[in-house]
Short mmCIF file of all heavy atoms in Angstrom, two decimals:
data_model
loop_
_atom_site.label_atom_id
_atom_site.label_comp_id
_atom_site.label_asym_id
_atom_site.label_seq_id
_atom_site.Cartn_x
_atom_site.Cartn_y
_atom_site.Cartn_z
N THR A 179 4.43 -2.43 -10.08
CA THR A 179 4.66 -1.14 -10.73
C THR A 179 5.62 -1.28 -11.90
O THR A 179 5.44 -0.64 -12.95
CB THR A 179 5.20 -0.12 -9.71
OG1 THR A 179 4.26 0.02 -8.64
CG2 THR A 179 5.42 1.24 -10.36
N ILE A 180 6.64 -2.12 -11.76
CA ILE A 180 7.56 -2.37 -12.87
C ILE A 180 6.81 -3.02 -14.03
O ILE A 180 6.98 -2.66 -15.20
CB ILE A 180 8.72 -3.26 -12.40
CG1 ILE A 180 9.61 -2.48 -11.43
CG2 ILE A 180 9.55 -3.75 -13.59
CD1 ILE A 180 10.66 -3.33 -10.75
N ALA A 183 4.78 -0.37 -15.77
CA ALA A 183 5.58 0.48 -16.66
C ALA A 183 5.93 -0.25 -17.95
O ALA A 183 5.93 0.34 -19.04
CB ALA A 183 6.84 0.93 -15.94
N TYR A 201 0.51 4.83 -10.98
CA TYR A 201 1.94 5.13 -10.98
C TYR A 201 2.23 6.30 -10.03
O TYR A 201 3.20 6.27 -9.28
CB TYR A 201 2.41 5.46 -12.39
CG TYR A 201 3.91 5.51 -12.53
CD1 TYR A 201 4.65 4.33 -12.77
CD2 TYR A 201 4.61 6.70 -12.42
CE1 TYR A 201 6.02 4.36 -12.89
CE2 TYR A 201 5.99 6.74 -12.54
CZ TYR A 201 6.69 5.57 -12.78
OH TYR A 201 8.07 5.61 -12.90
N ARG A 202 1.37 7.30 -10.07
CA ARG A 202 1.52 8.42 -9.12
C ARG A 202 1.30 7.95 -7.69
O ARG A 202 1.99 8.39 -6.75
CB ARG A 202 0.54 9.53 -9.47
CG ARG A 202 0.84 10.25 -10.79
CD ARG A 202 -0.05 11.48 -10.90
NE ARG A 202 0.23 12.25 -12.10
CZ ARG A 202 -0.61 12.39 -13.12
NH1 ARG A 202 -1.79 11.78 -13.10
NH2 ARG A 202 -0.29 13.12 -14.16
N ALA A 204 1.99 5.14 -6.47
CA ALA A 204 3.16 4.40 -6.02
C ALA A 204 4.18 5.34 -5.38
O ALA A 204 4.80 5.00 -4.36
CB ALA A 204 3.80 3.66 -7.19
N GLY A 205 4.35 6.53 -5.94
CA GLY A 205 5.27 7.49 -5.36
C GLY A 205 4.81 7.97 -4.00
O GLY A 205 5.62 8.08 -3.06
N THR A 208 5.25 5.15 -1.42
CA THR A 208 6.66 4.96 -1.08
C THR A 208 7.12 6.02 -0.09
O THR A 208 7.81 5.72 0.90
CB THR A 208 7.53 5.00 -2.34
OG1 THR A 208 7.13 3.96 -3.23
CG2 THR A 208 9.00 4.82 -2.00
N GLN A 234 13.08 3.50 -2.78
CA GLN A 234 13.20 4.34 -3.97
C GLN A 234 11.84 4.42 -4.66
O GLN A 234 11.27 3.39 -5.04
CB GLN A 234 14.24 3.77 -4.93
CG GLN A 234 15.67 3.89 -4.43
CD GLN A 234 16.68 3.47 -5.47
OE1 GLN A 234 16.36 2.76 -6.42
NE2 GLN A 234 17.91 3.92 -5.31
N ALA A 235 11.36 5.63 -4.83
CA ALA A 235 10.09 5.83 -5.52
C ALA A 235 10.28 5.63 -7.03
O ALA A 235 11.39 5.78 -7.54
CB ALA A 235 9.56 7.23 -5.25
N PRO A 236 9.22 5.28 -7.75
CA PRO A 236 9.33 5.18 -9.22
C PRO A 236 9.81 6.51 -9.80
O PRO A 236 9.48 7.57 -9.27
CB PRO A 236 7.90 4.85 -9.66
CG PRO A 236 7.25 4.28 -8.45
CD PRO A 236 7.88 4.96 -7.28
N PRO A 237 10.58 6.49 -10.88
CA PRO A 237 11.11 7.74 -11.46
C PRO A 237 9.99 8.72 -11.81
O PRO A 237 9.08 8.40 -12.57
CB PRO A 237 11.84 7.25 -12.72
CG PRO A 237 12.13 5.81 -12.46
CD PRO A 237 11.01 5.30 -11.61
N ALA A 238 10.09 9.93 -11.26
CA ALA A 238 9.05 10.93 -11.50
C ALA A 238 9.07 11.44 -12.94
O ALA A 238 8.04 11.83 -13.48
CB ALA A 238 9.21 12.09 -10.53
N ASP A 239 10.25 11.44 -13.57
CA ASP A 239 10.32 11.98 -14.93
C ASP A 239 9.63 11.08 -15.96
O ASP A 239 9.39 11.49 -17.09
CB ASP A 239 11.78 12.22 -15.34
CG ASP A 239 12.64 10.96 -15.23
OD1 ASP A 239 12.12 9.90 -14.84
OD2 ASP A 239 13.84 11.06 -15.53
N PHE A 240 9.30 9.86 -15.55
CA PHE A 240 8.59 8.95 -16.45
C PHE A 240 7.13 9.37 -16.63
O PHE A 240 6.49 9.01 -17.60
CB PHE A 240 8.68 7.53 -15.90
CG PHE A 240 8.22 6.44 -16.83
CD1 PHE A 240 8.72 6.35 -18.11
CD2 PHE A 240 7.27 5.52 -16.43
CE1 PHE A 240 8.30 5.35 -18.98
CE2 PHE A 240 6.84 4.51 -17.28
CZ PHE A 240 7.36 4.44 -18.56
N VAL A 241 6.62 10.16 -15.66
CA VAL A 241 5.21 10.56 -15.69
C VAL A 241 4.91 11.38 -16.94
O VAL A 241 3.84 11.23 -17.55
CB VAL A 241 4.84 11.34 -14.42
CG1 VAL A 241 3.44 11.94 -14.53
CG2 VAL A 241 4.92 10.43 -13.20
N ALA A 242 5.82 12.27 -17.34
CA ALA A 242 5.58 13.11 -18.52
C ALA A 242 5.40 12.26 -19.77
O ALA A 242 4.52 12.53 -20.61
CB ALA A 242 6.72 14.10 -18.70
N GLN A 243 6.22 11.21 -19.90
CA GLN A 243 6.08 10.32 -21.05
C GLN A 243 4.75 9.57 -20.99
O GLN A 243 4.09 9.37 -22.03
CB GLN A 243 7.24 9.31 -21.07
CG GLN A 243 8.61 9.94 -21.19
CD GLN A 243 9.71 8.90 -21.11
OE1 GLN A 243 9.64 7.87 -21.78
NE2 GLN A 243 10.72 9.16 -20.29
N MET A 244 4.35 9.16 -19.79
CA MET A 244 3.08 8.46 -19.63
C MET A 244 1.91 9.37 -19.98
O MET A 244 0.95 8.95 -20.65
CB MET A 244 2.95 7.94 -18.19
CG MET A 244 4.02 6.92 -17.81
SD MET A 244 3.91 6.42 -16.06
CE MET A 244 2.54 5.28 -16.11
#
Side-chain angles (χ1 to χ4, degrees):
T179 302
I180 291 171
Y201 192 85
R202 291 190 177 113
T208 300
Q234 290 187 340
D239 56 0
F240 191 53
V241 172
Q243 299 176 47
M244 297 175 78

